[in-house]
Amino acid sequence: MSESCSTKKRIIVLICSLVVLCALTFGVRVASLNASPVFSFGIKSLIYILIGLDAVVSMKLTGINLKFDYKEPYQYMWGCLLAIVLFLLVGVIPAFFGIHMFGPQFEFNMLAFYKNIFFYFLFVGPAEELFFREFILETFKDFIKPARVKVLAVVISSLIFGFWHLINGNLIQVLFTTMIGMAFGFAKYYIKSLKLPGLAVGHGLYDFLGYVITIFV
């Protein structure tokens, strides 16, 4: 992060970016009310594009360098492996005990199936990882001193990620999305080859598997 960017400016940008994020997230709820599936999909996709732009602009203003190394092949393996493990822990194992963490069951619909593939992999995964694991996490890593306790940045960014889901969710979602955020955050922190593209693919896969389980369980 650029040393020329003052702490005061970083805080102002952080607050403004979170306000914009919350406003856009309310838009997702509005798009889900009394709207056709095509219209809802279009609005939601646009909102996630704007969330990604919110992160990019905020990073530009605070001097955070975007590390977009898509050529590292192992990051996709790590991202997918992380997604599958988390899905088993959060989705499959609780389902055996009658606890459905991803919501009620839906009937299979081919159009919805393919729509969600695009939605989670192209919009949700990239936008949320860009905002929370690139912008928010890197911002708090810069705030926290000394370096040996910067793992707190993962915890703080994960809590923000969790409570963000309270806008369109509930306290249970806050709890397990905070844990998911920590898993992705610590993976980014300790797996050097795991960059934004790998995290985005893993995040998209996790959310898509969560949708799939609501069809069959």
Side-chain angles (χ1 to χ4, degrees):
M1 185 176 291
S2 174
E3 293 297 330
S4 62
C5 183
S6 67
T7 300
K8 182 178 179 180
K9 180 181 179 180
R10 292 169 187 165
I11 293 173
I12 292 173
V13 171
L14 175 64
I15 293 172
C16 290
S17 68
L18 289 171
V19 170
V20 171
L21 173 70
C22 292
L24 290 171
T25 306
F26 275 111
V28 173
R29 173 182 291 181
V30 173
S32 302
L33 299 175
N34 301 319
S36 69
V38 174
F39 177 79
S40 178
F41 174 74
I43 294 298
K44 289 179 179 179
S45 299
L46 176 60
I47 287 172
Y48 270 97
I49 291 173
L50 293 175
I51 289 173
L53 288 175
D54 181 19
V56 171
V57 171
S58 299
M59 292 171 71
K60 184 70 175 178
L61 290 173
T62 53
I64 298 176
N65 295 318
L66 179 59
K67 305 177 182 66
F68 191 76
D69 184 8
Y70 65 91
K71 294 182 179 180
E72 170 55 59
Y74 291 107
Q75 65 176 318
Y76 304 105
M77 177 195 70
W78 283 116
C80 291
L81 180 61
L82 178 61
I84 292 171
V85 170
L86 290 173
F87 172 68
L88 291 174
L89 292 175
V90 176
V92 176
I93 294 176
F96 281 109
F97 298 94
I99 302 172
H100 303 293
M101 301 297 291
F102 290 97
Q105 185 176 9
F106 293 95
E107 293 185 4
F108 177 77
N109 180 285
M110 184 65 71
L111 177 61
F113 184 83
Y114 286 111
K115 179 190 70 176
N116 280 302
I117 291 177
F118 284 101
F119 184 61
Y120 290 124
F121 280 97
L122 296 183
F123 298 105
V124 176
E128 292 189 10
E129 288 306 309
L130 184 59
F131 194 92
F132 290 99
R133 250 63 68 187
E134 289 296 320
F135 171 56
I136 299 293
L137 176 55
E138 293 300 320
T139 295
F140 279 100
K141 279 174 66 177
D142 187 70
F143 284 156
I144 296 173
K145 309 294 183 188
R148 65 177 179 274
V149 295
K150 286 190 175 183
V151 292
L152 286 177
V154 176
V155 177
I156 295 171
S157 63
S158 300
L159 286 170
I160 295 174
F161 178 64
F163 277 99
W164 171 60
H165 284 79
L166 190 60
I167 296 176
N168 292 324
N170 52 51
L171 288 174
I172 295 177
Q173 285 181 295
V174 170
L175 177 61
F176 78 80
T177 50
T178 297
M179 296 170 60
I180 297 301
M182 286 187 183
F184 277 95
F186 281 116
K188 178 180 184 293
Y189 200 92
Y190 288 109
I191 303 175
K192 300 303 181 183
S193 62
L194 186 56
K195 308 298 183 184
L196 174 61
L199 288 167
V201 169
H203 193 137
L205 177 61
Y206 171 80
D207 284 346
F208 179 69
L209 290 173
Y211 159 72
V212 170
I213 199 173
T214 62
I215 299 174
F216 299 104
V217 177

